[in-house]
């Protein structure tokens, strides 16, 4: 008799973004003809940079002729793209990693969700609170956690590293032992970045505890503040205790194209004697469960890492960052307290008058027709905040900013 995996039943009500979409839909049905200014999800809106689009068109042309057609590629990714990433890390971050430490994927979300499968199910997980929901949910579905507690709004067995105003939204490492620590900088949802010293405390902790850091750097190109690391491997010793996940979604507009990568170094220190185990297990995982990223997307990824491609991608990033500045200025001008939005596309905004995240979400929708994401959906410490996203056409961002100023 078949049984469904009971771990999935432990996941709490609807994943955050479908729930936001449901409530916006319901509002639109109640208010026919009214435009919703969507600053809710982190979905890109602008065109793919021209040299990347050209490279993908060329790849389609090559695939359409039998003498240049190619079928399955390496599950780990096109060696040209892995090589290009290796050079990129060396040139931009001064980091030396072998190209076979780079595993190309269909995006950071799948990798962030799947990475837990190569660790023991008895692993103690630590997450930033608030955090991108995938880290917690994938560990719940993978059976690495206890049950959800309604009172605390936390899962048993997970260490929540509270990130709030008192620590500038950058938590310190846990006081107790953790085996796997998820970090995301620039952070989704708070927009916070970590300094070199702050990251070093995590690397030191990981060495002390023989723990592994899963570092999600999906927004690293948004960092403009001087001296802020863009890769965890800029911290000495991180190649022995950190796995880094990244994406072409937010700098190349590949949210729909789908392309990302994960770096699993060869010499990660765990309780196991064999330092290459995690690299081998991720290789085994990818070659068994995945048949390689789309070859058209990978051609675009290679173009994104050329000098011209980087220039175009950074122009795209600048566009979204200008959007973030417009939103932040508007929110601050009506007396809202805002964080982030400088090294990040997200403006983390405090709910006024003690309103809850969902109440402020509803108020913004009702009064300004602006849709945001309630902070409580990212974890209990997100309560009392909303995340305003800078992904949108400039005219829509300006309309939303004007509406906030006029109607709130
Ligand atoms: N990691 C973080 C922190 C994100 O915010 C997102 C998307 O919003 C992702 C990963 C997903 O990236 P991808 O589109 O590559 O799956």
């Amino acid at each position: 008799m078949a049984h469904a995996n009971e771990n999935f039943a432990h996941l709490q009500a609807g994943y955050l973004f479908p729930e936001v979409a449901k409530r916006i839909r319901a509002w639109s049905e109640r208010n026919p003809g009214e435009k919703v200014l969507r600053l809710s999800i982190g979905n890109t809106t602008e065109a793919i940079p021209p040299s990347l689009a050209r490279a993908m068109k060329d790849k389609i042309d090559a695939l359409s002729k039998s003498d240049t057609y190619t079928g399955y590629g390496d599950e780990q990714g096109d060696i040209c793209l892995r090589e290009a990433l290796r050079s990129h890390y060396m040139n931009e971050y001064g980091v030396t990693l072998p190209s076979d430490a780079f595993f190309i994927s269909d995006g950071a979300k799948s990798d962030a969700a799947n990475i837990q499968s190569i660790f023991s199910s008895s692993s103690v997980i630590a997450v930033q609170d608030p955090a991108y929901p995938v880290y917690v949910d994938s560990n719940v579905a993978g059976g690495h956690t206890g049950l959800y507690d309604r009172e605390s709004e936390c899962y048993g067995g997970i260490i929540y590293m509270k990130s709030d105003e008192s620590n500038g939204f950058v938590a310190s490492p846990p006081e107790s032992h953790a085996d796997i620590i998820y970090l995301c900088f620039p952070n989704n949802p708070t927009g916070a970045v970590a300094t070199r010293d702050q990251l070093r405390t995590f690397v030191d902790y990981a060495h002390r505890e023989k723990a592994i850091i899963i570092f999600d750097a999906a927004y690293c190109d948004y960092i403009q503040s001087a001296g802020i690391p863009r890769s965890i491997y800029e911290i000495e010793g991180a190649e022995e205790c950190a796995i880094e996940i990244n994406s072409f979604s937010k700098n190349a507009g590949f949210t729909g194209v789908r392309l990302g990568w994960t770096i699993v170094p060869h010499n990660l220190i765990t309780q196991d004697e064999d330092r290459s185990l995690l690299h081998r297990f991720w290789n085994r995982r990818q070659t068994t469960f995945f048949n390689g990223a789309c070859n058209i997307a990978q051609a675009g990824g290679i173009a994104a890492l050329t000098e011209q491609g980087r220039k175009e991608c950074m122009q795209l990033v600048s566009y979204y960052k200008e959007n973030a500045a417009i939103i932040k200025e508007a929110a601050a001008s009506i007396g809202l307290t805002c964080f982030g939005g400088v090294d990040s596309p997200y403006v983390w905004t405090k709910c006024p008058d003690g309103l809850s995240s969902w109440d402020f979400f509803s108020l913004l929708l009702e009064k300004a027709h602006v849709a945001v994401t309630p902070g409580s959906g990212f974890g209990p410490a997100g309560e009392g905040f909303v995340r305003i996203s800078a992904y949108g056409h400039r005219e829509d961002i300006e309309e939303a900013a004007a509406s906030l100023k006029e109607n709130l």
Side-chain angles (χ1 to χ4, degrees):
M1 199 164 37
H3 281 287
N5 180 348
E6 70 278 10
N7 292 322
F8 277 81
H10 298 152
L11 288 168
Q12 288 313 291
Y15 180 71
L16 174 62
F17 298 106
E19 182 61 28
V20 169
K22 198 172 101 190
R23 295 196 190 202
I24 296 173
R25 245 190 339 268
W27 184 87
S28 293
E29 276 163 22
R30 286 198 307 275
N31 298 275
E34 293 289 356
K35 180 178 175 186
V36 178
L37 301 159
R38 288 170 197 269
L39 306 181
S40 41
I41 65 170
N43 202 356
T44 49
T45 54
E46 302 312 299
I48 288 170
S51 67
L52 283 57
R54 234 176 0 256
M56 290 193 278
K57 281 182 190 157
D58 289 349
K59 185 68 186 177
I60 292 172
D61 285 344
L63 290 172
S64 66
K65 299 185 193 103
S66 58
D67 55 339
T68 45
Y69 170 84
T70 50
Y72 289 129
D74 293 338
E75 292 96 341
Q76 300 90 342
D78 184 330
I79 189 61
C80 297
L81 179 53
R82 300 172 90 192
E83 260 303 313
L85 281 167
R86 186 191 66 75
S87 302
H88 175 72
Y89 271 68
M90 191 171 333
N91 300 337
E92 296 230 358
Y93 315 135
V95 162
T96 310
L97 291 159
S99 52
D100 68 354
F102 293 82
F103 291 85
I104 311 303
S105 70
D106 62 354
K109 185 175 185 178
S110 346
D111 285 355
N114 291 327
I115 198 75
Q116 46 79 26
S117 67
I118 63 168
F119 292 93
S120 158
S121 57
S122 64
S123 303
V124 176
I125 314 296
V127 292
Q128 289 166 287
D129 176 22
Y132 181 50
V134 174
Y135 316 136
V136 167
D137 285 357
S138 59
N139 276 288
V140 173
H144 296 266
T145 72
L147 296 180
Y148 185 73
D149 174 50
R150 279 199 190 287
E151 184 117 341
S152 63
E153 298 173 36
C154 294
Y155 286 93
I158 295 188
I159 299 172
Y160 290 78
M161 300 180 288
K162 196 169 178 184
S163 310
D164 57 17
E165 275 180 270
S166 72
N167 55 23
F169 301 98
V170 182
S172 298
E175 278 167 18
S176 54
H177 172 79
D179 298 301
I180 304 168
I181 305 148
Y182 287 84
L183 291 181
C184 172
F185 290 113
N187 187 264
N188 175 11
T190 67
V193 288
T195 63
R196 194 169 291 278
D197 286 345
Q198 285 167 326
L199 289 180
R200 193 174 292 121
T201 63
F202 279 96
V203 169
D204 290 346
Y205 173 92
H207 275 271
R208 225 171 31 246
E209 301 290 330
K210 292 191 175 171
I212 298 292
I213 296 167
I214 311 291
F215 192 78
D216 186 337
Y219 300 93
C220 67
D221 275 341
Y222 288 73
I223 294 175
Q224 66 183 41
S225 299
I228 300 293
R230 285 171 292 160
S231 164
I232 188 72
Y233 302 114
E234 291 183 54
I235 310 300
E236 203 188 332
E239 73 287 355
E240 293 180 311
C241 67
I243 288 172
E244 183 161 298
I245 295 173
N246 211 320
S247 170
F248 288 96
S249 282
K250 308 300 166 97
N251 62 356
F254 277 20
T255 41
V257 172
R258 310 302 308 141
L259 193 68
W261 70 92
T262 284
I263 301 164
V264 186
H266 287 272
N267 51 346
L268 290 167
I269 301 170
T270 61
Q271 304 288 350
D272 308 297
E273 229 160 75
D274 183 352
R275 281 188 170 212
S276 68
L277 216 50
L278 289 175
H279 181 273
R280 284 198 280 120
F281 282 4
W282 186 247
N283 188 57
R284 186 72 164 89
R285 195 262 165 221
Q286 292 301 81
T287 52
T288 306
F289 293 175
F290 183 60
N291 239 343
C294 165
N295 49 14
I296 301 161
Q298 293 193 76
I302 293 167
L305 294 165
T306 61
E307 201 181 326
Q308 178 62 21
R310 283 295 294 158
K311 208 169 103 198
E312 293 172 13
C313 287
M314 292 312 284
Q315 279 166 359
L316 187 60
V317 167
S318 293
Y319 179 91
Y320 292 126
K321 275 159 54 103
E322 282 162 27
N323 282 354
I326 292 168
I327 292 165
K328 196 168 176 176
E329 187 278 326
S333 77
I334 52 168
L336 295 172
T337 306
C338 302
F339 303 91
V342 175
D343 297 302
S344 150
Y346 299 123
V347 180
W348 188 235
T349 305
K350 200 169 172 174
C351 306
D353 309 323
L355 288 177
S356 74
S357 297
W358 277 112
D359 284 348
F360 192 41
F361 165 89
S362 301
L363 184 85
L364 286 170
L365 197 52
E366 287 299 336
K367 284 197 157 182
H369 302 184
V370 169
V372 297
T373 306
S376 55
F378 297 95
E383 181 54 274
F385 289 86
V386 295
R387 188 196 72 174
I388 312 184
S389 164
Y391 292 108
H393 300 311
R394 180 62 48 82
E395 58 271 26
D396 293 334
I397 297 289
E398 282 171 346
E399 195 179 339
S403 178
L404 285 177
K405 286 182 183 178
E406 224 172 89
N407 300 308
L408 228 70

